[in-house]
Amino acid sequence: MSSESSSFNRRSMLKTLTAGAVYSLAASELVQAKSLANTPASLQVPKGVTPEALAKDESFWAKVALFYDKAEGIVNLEHGYWGKMSRPVQTAYLENTEMVNTQLSYYARKEYNQDLVDSANKVAAALGAKDGEVVLTRNATESIHNLLRQYNDFKPGETVLFTDIDYPSFKETMQWLAKSRDVEPVEVIIPPQANQQQILDLYVKAFDSNPKLKLMLLTHASNQHGLILPVAKIADAAKQRGIDVVCDCAQSWGLLDFKITDLNVDWAGFNLHKWIGSPVGVGALYMKQGSLTKISPYPGETDPDNTLTYKRVHTATTNFAATLTVPTAIDFHQSIGPANKDARLRYLHSLWATEAKKMPHIEVLGGSDAESSSGMGAFRLTGKTSFEDVTQLQKRLENEFGVFTVVRKGLASGCCIRVTPQVFVSAAEIATLTDALRKLA
């Protein structure tokens, strides 16, 4: 297929999909909705409708999609990298950028510190945490790296634990800890498909097999295939054995509806620019009140009483405007409803994954039960697990079918294609992927 014909077909396809997404909106209603799509207050969520029922209402989600500027020419199912800002968030970000660029250091020296605290407290409230338990960072990677590198309670010969489904950079950091702190690394392998009980049993077995285990990395939602772990139960089993837990929530907040207290962990790292929809470059670090002793302040910082979460990071000069826009992102996220977003993303996943599981040439990865599955998912051609195999598959999906995805590597079972729709993706766009999967046979 030539590049010209490919581009033409994609443009035609996207026009058809866009028309299908708003088929249930009258012309006058559509014009009005577009004109109002710059303020969260204009999004009216139906009352008395369960999240599961609302998830299937294409008319409602077509209205949600009007709050986003969508690119034409490709069905983008790779939103796990970072999330698109809604129009209200983008407008606030541009206004904040203009203000900061005008006021410069006069604003930064006199007012920014309080605005930073206010934004952090907004995140804490949305997470169900207390003021002072959350500090903003540049991303979840910075948050998790600081927690792991600054952990100070090792004794020689103790053990650290991680799994193959953890974020690659964090697995490398755990290996670095083992070398630099004279501790032993243990990696647990999670099956390509797993349920809550299987996952819990694997962790408990690892705990009992490693009596010197001191620190573990625990992922809430795997970045590779969206597998959801029973974090609270695993953390409870760990705490009973004196094992400390660092929880990676980089992909989970906004993808799933939860509060930090639901997870039963003392330390966690988050991204706000993925499923919450803030500008790129904002993450968060959570440290439960009273848990700071084992995590040293950032080198060069001091906290004699171990009470100041913000002393665990040192981000230096950051994007002021992005931080100032966090409250608007939280407001828009909450205007849709965290439970509604969770249900919609799970529904979109089910549309393609349910059909793909019936195809003998497709292997679907991730959760094998509802509790272990999320809106993120992954697949590969049966028996084709190498990086070369999956890279070729990604290119075919993009060039032949106009569907953009991403290759993920790091699983013990091999590489895969990750699929991550967002709330503005329509069922018609998901159908494009499903049709492509059938034609791959």
Side-chain angles (χ1 to χ4, degrees):
M1 180 181 294
S2 71
S3 60
E4 288 186 5
S5 92
S6 174
S7 297
F8 174 81
N9 288 340
R10 289 180 192 171
R11 285 196 298 270
S12 300
M13 175 184 63
L14 263 292
K15 289 178 181 177
T16 300
L17 290 172
T18 302
V22 297
Y23 71 95
S24 60
L25 297 180
S28 59
E29 185 181 9
L30 178 59
V31 171
Q32 182 182 21
K34 284 185 175 180
S35 67
L36 293 173
N38 288 314
T39 169
S42 66
L43 180 61
Q44 299 298 317
V45 178
K47 295 181 179 179
V49 181
T50 66
E52 291 71 25
L54 189 63
K56 301 176 183 179
D57 184 350
E58 293 302 312
S59 177
F60 171 75
W61 294 102
K63 293 175 183 176
V64 171
L66 296 176
F67 284 83
Y68 296 87
D69 294 322
K70 291 184 68 174
E72 293 188 4
I74 195 76
V75 174
N76 191 337
L77 298 181
E78 205 310 76
H79 297 287
Y81 194 173
W82 80 87
K84 188 190 296 290
M85 286 182 281
S86 66
R87 286 181 177 175
V89 175
Q90 180 175 276
T91 297
Y93 181 48
L94 294 175
E95 290 174 351
N96 287 328
T97 299
E98 183 178 12
M99 183 277 291
V100 171
N101 195 50
T102 300
Q103 298 295 329
L104 293 177
S105 57
Y106 182 78
Y107 160 76
R109 300 290 187 190
K110 295 173 69 67
E111 298 180 36
Y112 177 67
N113 284 345
Q114 185 57 53
D115 288 342
L116 174 61
V117 171
D118 291 344
S119 289
N121 288 344
K122 181 82 171 186
V123 173
L127 271 171
K130 300 175 182 176
D131 286 356
E133 290 184 329
V134 171
V135 59
L136 297 188
T137 60
R138 287 169 288 201
N139 45 61
T141 298
E142 180 175 58
S143 301
I144 300 295
H145 278 169
N146 284 18
L147 289 168
L148 295 177
R149 290 195 305 253
Q150 291 158 224
Y151 183 82
N152 59 30
D153 201 37
F154 284 127
K155 296 181 178 62
E158 290 183 326
T159 304
V160 295
L161 181 144
F162 55 96
T163 73
D164 68 312
I165 69 165
D166 293 327
Y167 188 58
S169 177
F170 301 158
K171 291 190 285 186
E172 293 170 359
T173 303
M174 296 299 274
Q175 295 282 11
W176 173 84
L177 279 176
K179 292 180 180 179
S180 64
R181 306 295 175 82
D182 194 19
V183 295
E184 297 295 323
V186 171
E187 182 176 14
V188 174
I189 304 302
I190 307 295
Q193 292 185 347
N195 61 40
Q196 296 287 279
Q197 190 61 51
Q198 288 175 311
I199 298 167
L200 177 60
D201 290 346
L202 285 169
Y203 273 94
V204 171
K205 180 180 178 181
F207 296 165
D208 293 341
S209 300
N210 296 277
K212 292 186 178 181
L213 182 56
K214 187 59 180 288
L215 178 68
M216 65 176 291
L217 174 65
L218 180 56
T219 296
H220 190 193
S222 173
N223 79 95
Q224 285 132 330
H225 49 23
L227 181 71
I228 305 303
L229 279 66
V231 169
K233 292 181 179 179
I234 295 171
D236 182 60
K239 289 180 178 181
Q240 291 178 24
R241 294 163 173 80
I243 303 166
D244 291 325
V245 178
V246 171
C247 190
D248 172 12
C249 296
Q251 285 285 1
S252 61
W253 193 34
L255 175 73
L256 304 175
D257 176 27
F258 68 94
K259 298 296 186 183
I260 188 61
T261 50
D262 298 335
L263 301 186
N264 189 31
V265 297
D266 293 343
W267 310 316
F270 299 85
N271 279 314
L272 303 183
H273 56 225
K274 289 190 185 287
W275 302 98
I276 297 299
S278 79
V280 172
V282 190
L285 171 65
Y286 165 79
M287 300 186 73
K288 186 177 180 180
Q289 195 172 71
S291 73
L292 277 64
T293 303
K294 293 182 181 180
I295 307 294
S296 297
Y298 191 86
E301 301 284 350
T302 58
D303 183 16
D305 298 322
N306 287 310
T307 59
L308 304 175
T309 303
Y310 71 89
K311 291 293 185 177
R312 270 66 194 170
V313 300
H314 188 98
T315 55
T317 305
T318 57
N319 187 331
F320 301 108
T323 300
L324 291 172
T325 309
V326 166
T328 305
I330 295 289
D331 287 342
F332 187 78
H333 166 70
Q334 293 178 329
S335 73
I336 298 176
N340 295 330
K341 286 180 65 174
D342 184 331
R344 174 61 175 180
L345 294 171
R346 288 177 187 269
Y347 172 67
L348 293 176
H349 171 264
S350 71
L351 288 178
W352 71 265
T354 300
E355 293 302 310
K357 289 176 182 178
K358 302 174 185 176
M359 305 176 193
H361 63 288
I362 299 292
E363 180 187 4
V364 177
L365 285 69
S368 60
D369 63 350
E371 288 183 287
S372 306
S373 302
S374 67
M376 294 177 63
F379 69 92
R380 57 195 172 205
L381 293 176
T382 303
K384 301 289 188 179
T385 63
S386 72
F387 180 73
E388 292 74 17
D389 288 334
V390 179
T391 298
Q392 183 180 19
L393 176 57
Q394 187 277 327
K395 290 179 179 178
R396 284 194 64 190
L397 289 169
E398 180 180 349
N399 296 326
E400 294 180 29
F401 304 102
V403 177
F404 186 67
T405 56
V406 67
V407 175
R408 294 290 83 186
K409 56 184 180 179
L411 297 176
S413 65
C415 297
C416 60
I417 293 289
R418 187 180 72 187
V419 178
T420 49
Q422 253 287 6
V423 293
F424 46 77
V425 170
S426 69
E429 289 172 299
I430 297 296
T432 303
L433 170 64
T434 307
D435 290 342
L437 296 182
R438 291 193 183 97
K439 293 173 183 176
L440 291 171

